[in-house]
Amino acid sequence: MQNVILIGFMGCGKSTVGIRLSYRLKRTLEDTDKRIEREQGKTVSDIFAQQGEESFREMETQLLRRMGKEPAVRIIATGGGLPVRKENRVLLGRLGQVFYLRAKPETIYERLKNDTTRPLLRGEDPLGKIKKLMRERDGAYEAAADVIVDVDGMELEQVVQKIAEAVTP
Ligand code: S3P
């Protein structure tokens, strides 16, 4: 049995889908952002503000390396920028089956327009920022993915169902 890994842009539903999927598949859920926050004793926003994005990216890579040595029976929800590093994509591929929850920029914008926890989307023109980042990242997400699930207009349970059906035993 291998890990089930959820990747995709901020707000695509990785954490929420991960929780439902963990009940459904009876596996524990690990969330890379939450684990980094726990280990560092501060929020992702504080890490970005105090140490910069690059330090956070290094923490993500180090965490993936460590996870490779842990039991591979989990659901792993990842931070939205994690698959951008090529090394991380290789590590993800070794960790398990990778599902890309793909969403349109407008869907992401609607979900995150009142959110204050994503440092990369703060300030002017969040929709413009989402579109630009997504253009830059889509190729990386696709390259990392074993399965792509288009989540626009889908109910949470439908997304969970699709993934559950596609998980290799
Ligand atoms: C980021 C996404 C966030 C978090 C950090 C950076 C990104 O995770 O890791 O704010 O670069 O897209 P979510 O995808 O869970 O929001």
Side-chain angles (χ1 to χ4, degrees), residues 8-11 14 33 44 48 56-57 60 78-81 117-120 137:
F9 206 81
M10 292 168 262
K14 292 161 294 187
D33 284 341
V44 171
F48 268 66
F56 177 72
R57 299 300 173 202
E60 290 185 313
T78 58
T117 64
R118 270 59 175 212
L120 293 176
R137 289 180 175 180

Side-chain angles (χ1 to χ4, degrees), residues 1-2 27 97 166-169:
M1 205 151 54
Q2 44 175 1
R27 298 188 188 200
Q97 193 181 9
V167 167
T168 51

Side-chain angles (χ1 to χ4, degrees), residues 34-116:
K34 295 214 174 77
R35 181 146 163 195
I36 289 172
E37 288 187 332
R38 214 166 49 234
E39 289 178 354
Q40 297 294 318
K42 47 180 130 166
T43 63
V44 171
S45 292
D46 285 343
I47 298 171
F48 268 66
Q50 294 164 14
Q51 289 155 265
E53 179 173 351
E54 202 44 36
S55 303
F56 177 72
R57 299 300 173 202
E58 199 47 43
M59 290 171 196
E60 290 185 313
T61 301
Q62 296 299 338
L63 175 57
L64 288 183
R65 290 199 189 121
R66 282 186 283 136
M67 286 176 121
K69 299 183 187 118
E70 297 169 3
V73 290
R74 294 179 293 193
I75 315 285
I76 301 175
T78 58
L82 185 143
V84 173
R85 277 193 181 191
K86 174 131 196 302
E87 178 182 2
N88 292 356
R89 296 200 289 278
V90 174
L91 291 166
L92 286 175
R94 287 192 201 135
L95 271 177
Q97 193 181 9
V98 181
F99 292 82
Y100 170 21
L101 308 191
R102 185 164 63 186
K104 295 203 174 83
E106 291 74 15
T107 305
I108 301 291
Y109 175 72
E110 275 309 309
R111 290 188 187 177
L112 294 186
K113 62 185 178 197
N114 298 319
D115 178 277
T116 55

